Amino acid sequence: MVTVDLILLIGGLAVLDMLSPATIGVTVLLLNEKENRTSRIFFYLLTVAGFYFVVGVSLMLGISALLESVSNIFQNQTISWIIFIIGAILFIASFYVPAKKSADLPSPKSKRLISIIILGLSTALIEVGTAFPYFAAISILSTSDLTSMEWVSILAGYNLIMVLPPVLLYVLYLLFGRWMDKPLINLRERLIKTSGSALSWVMCIVGIILIFNSLDYL
């Protein structure tokens, strides 16, 4: 059943996923191109969001099949302890994520549309391994007794929220044009320098969420 608390919790995790340095950084790079800017950004963000959505649906279907064969698995004390320990590890490890002095964000290899799609897939593949908020959201959805239509809609909404910052940057660029060039360059450089810090905060918050969601069954 979809509740306000569930929506707020999943929405909060989606807001955390908005902190993706790679996705925002690539969008900034594409905004600086003169040719086919709109279509390239559209297909890039569609590829990233689509990849995450497919991964989410696949995981949900896999978890649903597992739940059918092993009832109440996430309410099992042993499983709850495992989730609690994972949360604790994420929380503790978040304080030891090294700050990146320099890093390279992905960039398109050519002007062709297929290059943008490949760029979107590569960005998603790079970040999906550290998409702790997304995996936490899927874990919560899988134990919330939702219909297929409900959790598919929530996943779609999650991915829409996730790509809102790049969309907002694009809208601002349309409104203010070249006045945005210098702020965008500064933003890209800042994203490169603070990517480790963003990951640290995400790990810390997701760790806390996992800890508190497992306490009831310990």
Side-chain angles (χ1 to χ4, degrees), residues 166-188:
V167 173
L168 178 60
L169 285 176
Y170 174 70
V171 172
L172 289 174
Y173 194 88
L174 289 180
L175 292 175
F176 300 105
R178 290 299 176 183
W179 287 2
M180 290 291 295
D181 284 349
K182 187 174 181 179
L184 288 176
I185 292 174
N186 293 335
L187 174 61
R188 181 176 170 84

PDB file of all heavy atoms in Angstrom, residues 166-188:
ATOM      1  N   PRO A 166      19.995  18.183 -14.150  1.00  0.00           N
ATOM      2  CA  PRO A 166      20.423  18.477 -15.513  1.00  0.00           C
ATOM      3  C   PRO A 166      19.337  19.178 -16.335  1.00  0.00           C
ATOM      4  O   PRO A 166      19.647  20.074 -17.139  1.00  0.00           O
ATOM      5  CB  PRO A 166      20.725  17.083 -16.097  1.00  0.00           C
ATOM      6  CG  PRO A 166      21.054  16.245 -14.923  1.00  0.00           C
ATOM      7  CD  PRO A 166      20.155  16.738 -13.833  1.00  0.00           C
ATOM      8  N   VAL A 167      18.076  18.780 -16.140  1.00  0.00           N
ATOM      9  CA  VAL A 167      16.973  19.432 -16.859  1.00  0.00           C
ATOM     10  C   VAL A 167      16.880  20.894 -16.448  1.00  0.00           C
ATOM     11  O   VAL A 167      16.686  21.788 -17.288  1.00  0.00           O
ATOM     12  CB  VAL A 167      15.628  18.706 -16.585  1.00  0.00           C
ATOM     13  CG1 VAL A 167      14.470  19.494 -17.185  1.00  0.00           C
ATOM     14  CG2 VAL A 167      15.660  17.292 -17.149  1.00  0.00           C
ATOM     15  N   LEU A 168      17.023  21.162 -15.147  1.00  0.00           N
ATOM     16  CA  LEU A 168      16.983  22.538 -14.652  1.00  0.00           C
ATOM     17  C   LEU A 168      18.128  23.363 -15.229  1.00  0.00           C
ATOM     18  O   LEU A 168      17.935  24.530 -15.614  1.00  0.00           O
ATOM     19  CB  LEU A 168      17.051  22.546 -13.120  1.00  0.00           C
ATOM     20  CG  LEU A 168      17.056  23.919 -12.443  1.00  0.00           C
ATOM     21  CD1 LEU A 168      15.782  24.686 -12.789  1.00  0.00           C
ATOM     22  CD2 LEU A 168      17.191  23.775 -10.930  1.00  0.00           C
ATOM     23  N   LEU A 169      19.318  22.772 -15.315  1.00  0.00           N
ATOM     24  CA  LEU A 169      20.454  23.469 -15.918  1.00  0.00           C
ATOM     25  C   LEU A 169      20.169  23.822 -17.372  1.00  0.00           C
ATOM     26  O   LEU A 169      20.506  24.916 -17.841  1.00  0.00           O
ATOM     27  CB  LEU A 169      21.715  22.599 -15.828  1.00  0.00           C
ATOM     28  CG  LEU A 169      22.396  22.493 -14.464  1.00  0.00           C
ATOM     29  CD1 LEU A 169      23.564  21.523 -14.535  1.00  0.00           C
ATOM     30  CD2 LEU A 169      22.868  23.864 -14.000  1.00  0.00           C
ATOM     31  N   TYR A 170      19.550  22.896 -18.091  1.00  0.00           N
ATOM     32  CA  TYR A 170      19.211  23.138 -19.503  1.00  0.00           C
ATOM     33  C   TYR A 170      18.216  24.294 -19.633  1.00  0.00           C
ATOM     34  O   TYR A 170      18.370  25.168 -20.496  1.00  0.00           O
ATOM     35  CB  TYR A 170      18.632  21.863 -20.118  1.00  0.00           C
ATOM     36  CG  TYR A 170      18.121  22.049 -21.522  1.00  0.00           C
ATOM     37  CD1 TYR A 170      19.002  22.274 -22.578  1.00  0.00           C
ATOM     38  CD2 TYR A 170      16.759  22.007 -21.800  1.00  0.00           C
ATOM     39  CE1 TYR A 170      18.532  22.457 -23.873  1.00  0.00           C
ATOM     40  CE2 TYR A 170      16.285  22.188 -23.088  1.00  0.00           C
ATOM     41  CZ  TYR A 170      17.178  22.419 -24.121  1.00  0.00           C
ATOM     42  OH  TYR A 170      16.714  22.609 -25.389  1.00  0.00           O
ATOM     43  N   VAL A 171      17.201  24.310 -18.759  1.00  0.00           N
ATOM     44  CA  VAL A 171      16.203  25.386 -18.789  1.00  0.00           C
ATOM     45  C   VAL A 171      16.854  26.735 -18.487  1.00  0.00           C
ATOM     46  O   VAL A 171      16.579  27.741 -19.152  1.00  0.00           O
ATOM     47  CB  VAL A 171      15.072  25.095 -17.778  1.00  0.00           C
ATOM     48  CG1 VAL A 171      14.132  26.300 -17.661  1.00  0.00           C
ATOM     49  CG2 VAL A 171      14.279  23.862 -18.201  1.00  0.00           C
ATOM     50  N   LEU A 172      17.738  26.754 -17.490  1.00  0.00           N
ATOM     51  CA  LEU A 172      18.439  27.996 -17.156  1.00  0.00           C
ATOM     52  C   LEU A 172      19.300  28.473 -18.320  1.00  0.00           C
ATOM     53  O   LEU A 172      19.404  29.683 -18.586  1.00  0.00           O
ATOM     54  CB  LEU A 172      19.314  27.783 -15.917  1.00  0.00           C
ATOM     55  CG  LEU A 172      18.564  27.621 -14.587  1.00  0.00           C
ATOM     56  CD1 LEU A 172      19.545  27.281 -13.467  1.00  0.00           C
ATOM     57  CD2 LEU A 172      17.788  28.885 -14.245  1.00  0.00           C
ATOM     58  N   TYR A 173      19.911  27.515 -19.024  1.00  0.00           N
ATOM     59  CA  TYR A 173      20.734  27.882 -20.178  1.00  0.00           C
ATOM     60  C   TYR A 173      19.878  28.481 -21.291  1.00  0.00           C
ATOM     61  O   TYR A 173      20.289  29.436 -21.957  1.00  0.00           O
ATOM     62  CB  TYR A 173      21.489  26.660 -20.691  1.00  0.00           C
ATOM     63  CG  TYR A 173      22.605  27.011 -21.646  1.00  0.00           C
ATOM     64  CD1 TYR A 173      23.877  27.301 -21.172  1.00  0.00           C
ATOM     65  CD2 TYR A 173      22.383  27.056 -23.017  1.00  0.00           C
ATOM     66  CE1 TYR A 173      24.905  27.633 -22.039  1.00  0.00           C
ATOM     67  CE2 TYR A 173      23.405  27.392 -23.896  1.00  0.00           C
ATOM     68  CZ  TYR A 173      24.663  27.675 -23.399  1.00  0.00           C
ATOM     69  OH  TYR A 173      25.676  28.018 -24.262  1.00  0.00           O
ATOM     70  N   LEU A 174      18.689  27.917 -21.483  1.00  0.00           N
ATOM     71  CA  LEU A 174      17.784  28.465 -22.493  1.00  0.00           C
ATOM     72  C   LEU A 174      17.356  29.883 -22.136  1.00  0.00           C
ATOM     73  O   LEU A 174      17.201  30.742 -23.005  1.00  0.00           O
ATOM     74  CB  LEU A 174      16.545  27.574 -22.630  1.00  0.00           C
ATOM     75  CG  LEU A 174      16.733  26.201 -23.285  1.00  0.00           C
ATOM     76  CD1 LEU A 174      15.397  25.470 -23.338  1.00  0.00           C
ATOM     77  CD2 LEU A 174      17.324  26.329 -24.687  1.00  0.00           C
ATOM     78  N   LEU A 175      17.169  30.126 -20.832  1.00  0.00           N
ATOM     79  CA  LEU A 175      16.690  31.440 -20.385  1.00  0.00           C
ATOM     80  C   LEU A 175      17.779  32.500 -20.408  1.00  0.00           C
ATOM     81  O   LEU A 175      17.537  33.648 -20.775  1.00  0.00           O
ATOM     82  CB  LEU A 175      16.116  31.326 -18.965  1.00  0.00           C
ATOM     83  CG  LEU A 175      14.820  30.522 -18.813  1.00  0.00           C
ATOM     84  CD1 LEU A 175      14.450  30.412 -17.340  1.00  0.00           C
ATOM     85  CD2 LEU A 175      13.678  31.168 -19.589  1.00  0.00           C
ATOM     86  N   PHE A 176      19.000  32.110 -20.018  1.00  0.00           N
ATOM     87  CA  PHE A 176      20.058  33.107 -19.840  1.00  0.00           C
ATOM     88  C   PHE A 176      21.208  32.977 -20.829  1.00  0.00           C
ATOM     89  O   PHE A 176      22.127  33.792 -20.813  1.00  0.00           O
ATOM     90  CB  PHE A 176      20.602  33.016 -18.408  1.00  0.00           C
ATOM     91  CG  PHE A 176      19.552  33.281 -17.365  1.00  0.00           C
ATOM     92  CD1 PHE A 176      19.015  32.233 -16.626  1.00  0.00           C
ATOM     93  CD2 PHE A 176      19.089  34.566 -17.127  1.00  0.00           C
ATOM     94  CE1 PHE A 176      18.049  32.458 -15.667  1.00  0.00           C
ATOM     95  CE2 PHE A 176      18.127  34.806 -16.167  1.00  0.00           C
ATOM     96  CZ  PHE A 176      17.593  33.756 -15.436  1.00  0.00           C
ATOM     97  N   GLY A 177      21.173  31.934 -21.671  1.00  0.00           N
ATOM     98  CA  GLY A 177      22.152  31.808 -22.745  1.00  0.00           C
ATOM     99  C   GLY A 177      23.595  31.835 -22.279  1.00  0.00           C
ATOM    100  O   GLY A 177      23.967  31.180 -21.309  1.00  0.00           O
ATOM    101  N   ARG A 178      24.413  32.641 -22.961  1.00  0.00           N
ATOM    102  CA  ARG A 178      25.856  32.676 -22.723  1.00  0.00           C
ATOM    103  C   ARG A 178      26.210  33.208 -21.331  1.00  0.00           C
ATOM    104  O   ARG A 178      27.344  33.051 -20.885  1.00  0.00           O
ATOM    105  CB  ARG A 178      26.536  33.529 -23.795  1.00  0.00           C
ATOM    106  CG  ARG A 178      26.526  32.868 -25.178  1.00  0.00           C
ATOM    107  CD  ARG A 178      27.274  31.542 -25.124  1.00  0.00           C
ATOM    108  NE  ARG A 178      27.211  30.823 -26.399  1.00  0.00           N
ATOM    109  CZ  ARG A 178      27.718  29.632 -26.595  1.00  0.00           C
ATOM    110  NH1 ARG A 178      28.321  28.999 -25.601  1.00  0.00           N
ATOM    111  NH2 ARG A 178      27.618  29.036 -27.763  1.00  0.00           N
ATOM    112  N   TRP A 179      25.278  33.860 -20.657  1.00  0.00           N
ATOM    113  CA  TRP A 179      25.555  34.317 -19.294  1.00  0.00           C
ATOM    114  C   TRP A 179      25.821  33.127 -18.369  1.00  0.00           C
ATOM    115  O   TRP A 179      26.405  33.290 -17.298  1.00  0.00           O
ATOM    116  CB  TRP A 179      24.364  35.122 -18.762  1.00  0.00           C
ATOM    117  CG  TRP A 179      24.238  36.479 -19.389  1.00  0.00           C
ATOM    118  CD1 TRP A 179      25.035  37.006 -20.358  1.00  0.00           C
ATOM    119  CD2 TRP A 179      23.266  37.478 -19.084  1.00  0.00           C
ATOM    120  NE1 TRP A 179      24.611  38.260 -20.697  1.00  0.00           N
ATOM    121  CE2 TRP A 179      23.529  38.593 -19.933  1.00  0.00           C
ATOM    122  CE3 TRP A 179      22.201  37.553 -18.202  1.00  0.00           C
ATOM    123  CZ2 TRP A 179      22.765  39.747 -19.893  1.00  0.00           C
ATOM    124  CZ3 TRP A 179      21.438  38.705 -18.159  1.00  0.00           C
ATOM    125  CH2 TRP A 179      21.711  39.794 -18.996  1.00  0.00           C
ATOM    126  N   MET A 180      25.375  31.937 -18.797  1.00  0.00           N
ATOM    127  CA  MET A 180      25.546  30.745 -17.974  1.00  0.00           C
ATOM    128  C   MET A 180      26.889  30.042 -18.214  1.00  0.00           C
ATOM    129  O   MET A 180      27.239  29.117 -17.492  1.00  0.00           O
ATOM    130  CB  MET A 180      24.414  29.746 -18.264  1.00  0.00           C
ATOM    131  CG  MET A 180      23.040  30.178 -17.758  1.00  0.00           C
ATOM    132  SD  MET A 180      22.952  30.170 -15.962  1.00  0.00           S
ATOM    133  CE  MET A 180      23.161  28.417 -15.621  1.00  0.00           C
ATOM    134  N   ASP A 181      27.647  30.499 -19.223  1.00  0.00           N
ATOM    135  CA  ASP A 181      28.880  29.801 -19.583  1.00  0.00           C
ATOM    136  C   ASP A 181      29.871  29.714 -18.422  1.00  0.00           C
ATOM    137  O   ASP A 181      30.353  28.627 -18.082  1.00  0.00           O
ATOM    138  CB  ASP A 181      29.553  30.487 -20.779  1.00  0.00           C
ATOM    139  CG  ASP A 181      28.838  30.167 -22.087  1.00  0.00           C
ATOM    140  OD1 ASP A 181      27.975  29.272 -22.073  1.00  0.00           O
ATOM    141  OD2 ASP A 181      29.132  30.817 -23.102  1.00  0.00           O
ATOM    142  N   LYS A 182      30.174  30.840 -17.818  1.00  0.00           N
ATOM    143  CA  LYS A 182      31.154  30.842 -16.734  1.00  0.00           C
ATOM    144  C   LYS A 182      30.659  30.074 -15.502  1.00  0.00           C
ATOM    145  O   LYS A 182      31.406  29.255 -14.940  1.00  0.00           O
ATOM    146  CB  LYS A 182      31.521  32.275 -16.357  1.00  0.00           C
ATOM    147  CG  LYS A 182      32.663  32.345 -15.351  1.00  0.00           C
ATOM    148  CD  LYS A 182      33.106  33.782 -15.107  1.00  0.00           C
ATOM    149  CE  LYS A 182      34.266  33.811 -14.117  1.00  0.00           C
ATOM    150  NZ  LYS A 182      34.745  35.210 -13.875  1.00  0.00           N
ATOM    151  N   PRO A 183      29.396  30.286 -15.057  1.00  0.00           N
ATOM    152  CA  PRO A 183      28.887  29.493 -13.927  1.00  0.00           C
ATOM    153  C   PRO A 183      28.917  27.990 -14.204  1.00  0.00           C
ATOM    154  O   PRO A 183      29.190  27.194 -13.303  1.00  0.00           O
ATOM    155  CB  PRO A 183      27.453  29.991 -13.761  1.00  0.00           C
ATOM    156  CG  PRO A 183      27.472  31.381 -14.286  1.00  0.00           C
ATOM    157  CD  PRO A 183      28.431  31.338 -15.434  1.00  0.00           C
ATOM    158  N   LEU A 184      28.646  27.591 -15.453  1.00  0.00           N
ATOM    159  CA  LEU A 184      28.655  26.169 -15.795  1.00  0.00           C
ATOM    160  C   LEU A 184      30.059  25.592 -15.739  1.00  0.00           C
ATOM    161  O   LEU A 184      30.264  24.457 -15.279  1.00  0.00           O
ATOM    162  CB  LEU A 184      28.053  25.963 -17.193  1.00  0.00           C
ATOM    163  CG  LEU A 184      26.534  26.146 -17.308  1.00  0.00           C
ATOM    164  CD1 LEU A 184      26.090  26.017 -18.759  1.00  0.00           C
ATOM    165  CD2 LEU A 184      25.791  25.138 -16.437  1.00  0.00           C
ATOM    166  N   ILE A 185      31.047  26.357 -16.198  1.00  0.00           N
ATOM    167  CA  ILE A 185      32.439  25.903 -16.132  1.00  0.00           C
ATOM    168  C   ILE A 185      32.863  25.735 -14.673  1.00  0.00           C
ATOM    169  O   ILE A 185      33.495  24.741 -14.292  1.00  0.00           O
ATOM    170  CB  ILE A 185      33.371  26.896 -16.857  1.00  0.00           C
ATOM    171  CG1 ILE A 185      33.094  26.866 -18.368  1.00  0.00           C
ATOM    172  CG2 ILE A 185      34.835  26.553 -16.586  1.00  0.00           C
ATOM    173  CD1 ILE A 185      33.856  27.918 -19.145  1.00  0.00           C
ATOM    174  N   ASN A 186      32.501  26.722 -13.847  1.00  0.00           N
ATOM    175  CA  ASN A 186      32.827  26.647 -12.415  1.00  0.00           C
ATOM    176  C   ASN A 186      32.135  25.461 -11.755  1.00  0.00           C
ATOM    177  O   ASN A 186      32.720  24.779 -10.900  1.00  0.00           O
ATOM    178  CB  ASN A 186      32.413  27.937 -11.711  1.00  0.00           C
ATOM    179  CG  ASN A 186      33.241  29.129 -12.153  1.00  0.00           C
ATOM    180  OD1 ASN A 186      34.374  28.968 -12.610  1.00  0.00           O
ATOM    181  ND2 ASN A 186      32.692  30.315 -12.019  1.00  0.00           N
ATOM    182  N   LEU A 187      30.875  25.207 -12.161  1.00  0.00           N
ATOM    183  CA  LEU A 187      30.131  24.080 -11.597  1.00  0.00           C
ATOM    184  C   LEU A 187      30.792  22.763 -11.956  1.00  0.00           C
ATOM    185  O   LEU A 187      30.932  21.867 -11.108  1.00  0.00           O
ATOM    186  CB  LEU A 187      28.694  24.098 -12.123  1.00  0.00           C
ATOM    187  CG  LEU A 187      27.807  22.898 -11.736  1.00  0.00           C
ATOM    188  CD1 LEU A 187      27.652  22.819 -10.225  1.00  0.00           C
ATOM    189  CD2 LEU A 187      26.442  23.006 -12.409  1.00  0.00           C
ATOM    190  N   ARG A 188      31.213  22.618 -13.214  1.00  0.00           N
ATOM    191  CA  ARG A 188      31.853  21.385 -13.659  1.00  0.00           C
ATOM    192  C   ARG A 188      33.147  21.136 -12.872  1.00  0.00           C
ATOM    193  O   ARG A 188      33.398  20.013 -12.421  1.00  0.00           O
ATOM    194  CB  ARG A 188      32.149  21.463 -15.152  1.00  0.00           C
ATOM    195  CG  ARG A 188      32.811  20.200 -15.718  1.00  0.00           C
ATOM    196  CD  ARG A 188      32.980  20.318 -17.224  1.00  0.00           C
ATOM    197  NE  ARG A 188      33.821  19.245 -17.733  1.00  0.00           N
ATOM    198  CZ  ARG A 188      33.393  18.029 -18.040  1.00  0.00           C
ATOM    199  NH1 ARG A 188      32.115  17.726 -17.882  1.00  0.00           N
ATOM    200  NH2 ARG A 188      34.206  17.108 -18.510  1.00  0.00           N
TER     201      ARG A 188
END
